[in-house]
Amino acid sequence: MTKPQLLDPQTVNFSCDRIRSLFPALHEEPRLVFFDNGAGAQIPQGVFDAINDHLLHRNVQRGGRYARSMEVDDAITRARKSVAALINARDSNEIAFGMNATSFLRLLSLAIGRTLATRNEIVVTDLDHEANIATWLQLEREGARIVWWKMREDNNLHVEDLAPLLTSKTRLVACTVASHALGSIVDVAAVARLAHAAGAEVALDCVHYAPHALIDVQAFDCDYLVCSGYKIFGPHMGFMWGRLELLNVLPTFREDFIPDAPPGKIEAGTFIFENVAGFAAAIGYLESLGSSQRGEEENAAPASRRAALVRGMNSIREYEATLSFEMLEVLQSAGAIVYGVHDTARLAERVPTFCFRLPNVAPAIVTQTMSDHGVGIRDGHMYAPRLMKRLGASLETGVNRASLVHYNTLEEIHEFGKVLSDMVRGE
Ligand SMILES: Cc1ncc(COP(=O)(O)O)c(C=O)c1O
């Protein structure tokens, strides 16, 4: 297979060395080829500095009348605006901060569960992380009927298969934007078109897609979306976005004296302010990738934060396609079974996350051998038991996953490939 010209790393305007220099963890000894980014990515120094700065200088409760407390309020307001730029939200009050994506999905499902009435059907998929399935299944107790949108034999969700599942009773479609296990991307704008035509809403799990490509809630035309900061080069925290008019009427838990308006009505209790400050810095880092590019048409500074983020995320996407190409070549030439999109002509349909198996080596042994050679990958069920079943893998042993992001390199892939092929040859 010849490499498409577009994917020649030399032609991709991306300075991986400069980027790696910003991430202290990538220079630690002993060296680690870090291919477990799907479980959480490393952070640039600027994120650490922002967390530190917050803790050292304004570690106080928000909402007070003294300067430090007002600084916390300002930091949270600025962070909401940063997230709004990252995901193209119309209004920063559509963004709520909290613990993680799972707890937001639970909050959302509890609220939706109180609105079922005659529309009581919830569509879930067998590709999703269990966080976006189990919480909806719980609504059966509230009278919900669960409708499964299943992958075809090619381990992809086909939007054509969703259409016949939607009826005048469909309340919501819950699906992922990109699979954390297989790396495949779902055409969520098409999902939203179908769901809205049926009068239903769409809740997206954007956790795995977020570090790899541009989020645009307006283009996705979704109704709710959840993300985790620690997958996007930030600390452990999460956020949820929802359409303002829907959040206004969402029946969430709140103490009586809290106004029934977003984001406060979604943020019961205190969240981790320093991590929100750190996440805002992570967005600043992604923005800097778009501001600092030099190219023919890019001499002018980006017109807005969003424009810088668009440029930064597009350059990540383009560079990551070179990583995906190389990973597929390396995995397939070692004789690995790659699940999901494995054709190098279809790189646009995936991110560089690879779920694979070696025919004669148990996943735990593959991971251990990789670890012995300084390569960090993962084995197990990937919190996706239903997907494992579809792949024919047992819950106990599961599969292997190598998940890359934009600070990974072709050289690292070749190191991984050498360990893999030595293992296959029994060396
Ligand atoms: C696709 C996907 N959804 C949801 C989650 C759960 O996210 P959190 O840990 O923020 O609850 C993960 C975590 O790995 C994930 O990859």
Side-chain angles (χ1 to χ4, degrees), residues 204-281:
L204 296 180
D205 176 344
C206 203
V207 171
H208 196 75
Y209 181 84
H212 302 291
L214 189 67
I215 306 175
D216 187 334
V217 290
Q218 297 188 49
F220 291 176
D221 199 24
C222 51
D223 299 292
Y224 309 98
L225 176 141
V226 299
C227 263
S228 321
Y230 69 98
K231 308 290 172 86
I232 325 174
F233 318 107
H236 289 96
M237 54 78 71
F239 70 86
M240 180 177 120
W241 167 90
R243 270 179 211 275
L244 198 60
E245 59 274 25
L246 297 178
L247 295 182
N248 280 334
V249 294
L250 199 69
T252 58
F253 164 78
R254 69 196 158 82
E255 298 90 339
D256 291 342
F257 49 84
I258 302 285
D260 190 13
K265 67 183 282 188
I266 306 164
E267 291 173 343
T270 304
F271 50 85
I272 306 176
F273 302 145
E274 61 271 27
N275 286 357
V276 167
F279 185 53

Side-chain angles (χ1 to χ4, degrees), residues 136-378:
W136 300 109
L137 298 190
Q138 284 287 304
L139 294 190
E140 281 180 309
R141 291 197 205 146
E142 296 348 291
R145 196 173 87 79
I146 301 298
V147 177
W148 287 93
W149 176 19
K150 294 197 171 163
M151 302 181 305
R152 289 194 191 164
E153 288 307 309
D154 63 359
N155 298 319
N156 281 310
L157 287 173
H158 291 251
V159 177
E160 310 87 272
D161 299 341
L162 173 64
L165 306 178
L166 300 169
T167 71
S168 58
K169 284 177 171 279
T170 312
R171 172 71 182 85
L172 181 126
V173 178
C175 80
T176 193
V177 188
S179 164
H180 68 292
L182 308 186
S184 36
I185 294 175
V186 179
D187 182 355
V188 290
V191 170
R193 262 193 307 280
L194 288 175
H196 290 159
E201 292 170 358
V202 176
L204 296 180
D205 176 344
C206 203
V207 171
H208 196 75
Y209 181 84
H212 302 291
L214 189 67
I215 306 175
D216 187 334
V217 290
Q218 297 188 49
F220 291 176
D221 199 24
C222 51
D223 299 292
Y224 309 98
L225 176 141
V226 299
C227 263
S228 321
Y230 69 98
K231 308 290 172 86
I232 325 174
F233 318 107
H236 289 96
M237 54 78 71
F239 70 86
M240 180 177 120
W241 167 90
R243 270 179 211 275
L244 198 60
E245 59 274 25
L246 297 178
L247 295 182
N248 280 334
V249 294
L250 199 69
T252 58
F253 164 78
R254 69 196 158 82
E255 298 90 339
D256 291 342
F257 49 84
I258 302 285
D260 190 13
K265 67 183 282 188
I266 306 164
E267 291 173 343
T270 304
F271 50 85
I272 306 176
F273 302 145
E274 61 271 27
N275 286 357
V276 167
F279 185 53
I283 298 173
Y285 158 73
L286 294 172
E287 208 178 312
S288 75
L289 297 184
S291 314
S292 60
Q293 277 177 20
R294 266 155 284 148
E296 298 132 45
E297 90 285 8
E298 289 159 346
N299 289 325
S304 64
R305 297 188 68 188
R306 175 68 186 169
L309 283 159
V310 169
R311 204 191 266 181
M313 293 312 296
N314 286 343
S315 69
I316 283 181
R317 181 98 179 99
E318 200 182 347
Y319 172 71
E320 286 190 357
T322 68
L323 299 180
S324 289
F325 185 96
E326 212 63 25
M327 275 298 278
L328 285 172
E329 295 259 287
V330 157
L331 283 163
Q332 287 170 346
S333 60
I337 301 159
V338 180
Y339 299 101
V341 178
H342 52 262
D343 180 350
T344 51
R346 291 172 55 201
L347 297 180
E349 295 170 46
R350 63 152 40 257
V351 299
T353 303
F354 300 88
C355 184
F356 65 95
R357 281 205 69 163
L358 289 186
N360 297 318
V361 192
I365 302 290
V366 174
T367 310
Q368 185 58 56
T369 310
M370 284 285 167
S371 172
D372 295 344
H373 289 84
V375 181
I377 63 165
R378 185 161 287 265

